[in-house]
Amino acid sequence: MASTMDESAISASAARARPAARPMPTSTPTSASASASRTPSRPAARPAAKSAVGLVARLLGDVDPLADQLTDQIFEAERGYAEHERDSHERVRVVVRDNLRTLLMALQENPVALDAAREAGRIKAELGIPLPALLHAYRLGGRFIWDRLLAAATDEGAATELLYLASDIWQIIDEHSSAAADSYRTTVEEQAHRDTAARAAMLTTLLDGTVTSAPRAAEIVRVLRLDRGGPLVVVNAEIEQDDGLPPGTATKLRTIGVASEWTRLAGATVGLLCLPGERSLPSAVDMLSTLAATRVGVSRPFRTPADATRAWREAQVAARCLPTGAQGAHAYGEAPVALLVASAPDAAADMAHSVFAALNGLPPSEHSTLLDTLDTWFSAGGSTSKAAELLHCHRNTVLYRLNRIGELTGRHTTDAVGSAELYAALRAVRQGAATGD
């Protein structure tokens, strides 16, 4: 039912029943978002309104048939209810009866109880009836009460007495619709929380290998609404001081046609993504890179949901292909040497210690400078001049440092095998497999 009655309808009905010289009092209803927990004040009993209160008592005695009539009116007038009529008519009738009885009792100047209104909000949220439809039903209820009171009062020649109830009806409808709306919103929030937790639990069982049945894995993907025909990928964002990816990541991905579901798992933010097509992986990786606050790994695309566990392992390895402390996304297989290092971190650490053993005795500043120079030279494609430009030093300085590395390690950048070993060992250090010290 809504935060206000149909004021024009009530005013028109009252106008037909009252003397022209006696205007109908009006009351401006408060917003439906007002606090439902407040205790409303009621005006003191008015002797002239006793007959009107008696009319209310007669309606209370007929509350069951009146509830049937009002329920039918609501389903006829409000599409939001009609769409759920098959499964919800009886539940709604019970709610309507309880609220109608409470509203009428409030008009008798009894203490106002809002339990029925809160229950109405909860049930309508559970049934999926839109909030505007709920509020409209309260408006219909207010007009229904007024029309029944006016008809009874007209028969007894006491229509003028209803003028004293007009403002009370508006206030009571407002209080009850406000309480119902607050309860509705609370229920929706609780449902969303439960739904999110349930979806996260399903995704976890798919990723951690709990689900081994291919049909069950496919069913989970369907329930998560990721069965859109496109390939799937798993994303693993490491959690450090930051969450890896911001809360709005799913919304951002939707702008490029990528559907996703996310959960927290093994110290990471993990997502299952459905791509719109085979060629859309690069754009998804690029967007993740712009959003990433830590290392983010992306698996190879796959189409069989039961392969999600393997894909998650690939995403974890892909994240470790990036240097420690990096912010960005990396797709599995994009850098073969980095992939080898990330896949066998213990062996990579042994290799790095072996290759750079002679650097261990150097002062920390010199040790760091030599490795930074080597890293920049590789990044520059082996160009000494470009490396010097990036390092803001003379090219001869770069050559000196490379030669120094060659003297200490016995591996020179001018030799193919030596250069490969230096690169692999450097990747192990940068990716955190070894410290290089």
Side-chain angles (χ1 to χ4, degrees):
M1 300 188 312
S3 61
T4 64
M5 292 175 55
D6 190 338
E7 183 176 346
S8 61
I10 293 178
S11 298
S13 300
R16 292 193 295 269
R18 69 176 182 261
R22 190 171 185 176
M24 177 180 177
T26 60
S27 173
T28 303
T30 58
S31 169
S33 62
S35 172
S37 61
R38 59 191 171 90
T39 301
S41 60
R42 286 279 173 265
R46 294 165 295 215
K50 286 183 178 179
S51 60
V53 174
L55 294 174
V56 173
R58 288 170 53 186
L59 294 188
L60 265 173
D62 295 330
V63 71
D64 284 311
L66 290 175
D68 292 337
Q69 296 173 30
L70 179 54
T71 302
D72 290 340
Q73 284 190 18
I74 291 172
F75 275 100
E76 290 173 4
E78 179 52 61
R79 177 179 297 179
Y81 281 78
E83 292 174 351
H84 300 80
E85 182 169 11
R86 177 182 301 177
D87 301 323
S88 64
H89 190 284
E90 180 56 28
R91 290 185 70 186
V92 171
R93 194 202 73 81
V94 172
V95 170
V96 168
R97 180 195 179 281
D98 292 345
N99 276 265
L100 186 58
R101 183 174 181 275
T102 301
L103 291 167
L104 292 172
M105 290 181 66
L107 286 174
Q108 289 184 314
E109 299 182 349
N110 292 307
V112 176
L114 298 175
D115 292 345
R118 296 189 183 103
E119 181 69 1
R122 182 187 66 79
I123 289 178
K124 305 308 169 54
E126 291 177 350
L127 292 173
I129 294 172
L131 179 57
L134 167 66
L135 299 177
H136 183 210
Y138 269 96
R139 184 164 65 249
L140 292 173
R143 182 172 180 176
F144 179 88
I145 293 172
W146 176 262
D147 287 345
R148 296 307 180 277
L149 287 173
L150 183 60
T154 301
D155 291 342
E156 297 183 4
T160 303
E161 305 300 333
L162 290 183
L163 300 179
Y164 295 96
L165 287 182
S167 62
D168 285 356
I169 292 175
W170 278 317
Q171 182 177 354
I172 292 167
I173 289 295
D174 179 71
E175 289 160 359
H176 283 70
S177 63
S178 177
D182 288 345
S183 178
Y184 184 101
R185 296 186 185 98
T186 299
T187 301
V188 169
E189 291 174 0
E190 291 173 351
Q191 286 178 329
H193 179 75
R194 289 194 300 268
D195 291 346
T196 299
R199 294 167 72 87
M202 284 190 290
L203 180 57
T204 296
T205 61
L206 183 65
L207 294 169
D208 66 9
T210 301
V211 174
T212 58
S213 165
R216 175 57 180 156
E219 175 65 12
I220 289 176
V221 171
R222 185 193 67 78
V223 171
L224 297 178
R225 298 181 181 178
L226 298 176
D227 57 337
R228 304 188 176 194
L232 302 169
V233 296
V234 174
V235 174
N236 187 91
E238 296 178 344
I239 296 177
E240 295 176 358
Q241 292 181 344
D242 297 301
D243 285 342
L245 290 169
T249 297
T251 302
K252 292 283 188 180
L253 288 171
R254 279 198 295 272
T255 63
I256 59 172
V258 177
S260 62
E261 191 69 37
W262 298 85
T263 188
R264 292 286 187 91
L265 191 58
T269 299
V270 186
L272 180 61
L273 280 57
C274 181
L275 306 177
E278 299 288 348
R279 299 181 180 179
S280 56
L281 179 60
S283 60
V285 174
D286 288 344
M287 176 164 285
L288 290 169
S289 289
T290 63
L291 298 172
T294 59
R295 298 192 297 184
V296 177
V298 183
S299 74
R300 291 177 294 179
F302 62 99
R303 288 190 172 274
T304 303
D307 291 338
T309 301
R310 172 192 57 78
W312 181 35
R313 289 195 295 268
E314 290 183 356
Q316 291 173 305
V317 171
R320 295 197 298 269
C321 288
L322 293 172
T324 302
Q327 297 179 346
H330 180 85
Y332 184 91
E334 278 189 350
V337 174
L339 178 60
L340 285 173
V341 169
S343 300
D346 291 339
D350 291 340
M351 174 189 62
H353 287 304
S354 174
V355 171
F356 293 134
L359 276 63
N360 290 343
L362 298 177
S365 59
E366 183 179 0
H367 180 277
S368 177
T369 297
L370 292 180
L371 290 186
D372 288 345
T373 300
L374 182 63
D375 200 356
T376 303
W377 185 81
F378 279 124
S379 297
S383 169
T384 304
S385 297
K386 187 175 181 180
E389 181 180 346
L390 293 171
L391 291 168
H392 305 290
C393 64
H394 196 276
R395 66 184 305 273
N396 287 342
T397 302
V398 174
L399 288 173
Y400 168 78
R401 294 173 182 171
L402 295 177
N403 288 332
R404 175 74 167 146
I405 292 172
E407 292 173 357
L408 292 170
T409 64
R411 296 167 176 84
H412 297 271
T413 55
T414 54
D415 174 70
V417 174
S419 182
E421 291 178 347
L422 286 171
Y423 181 76
L426 182 63
R427 294 272 55 82
V429 173
R430 293 307 196 216
Q431 291 170 223
T435 61
D437 296 330

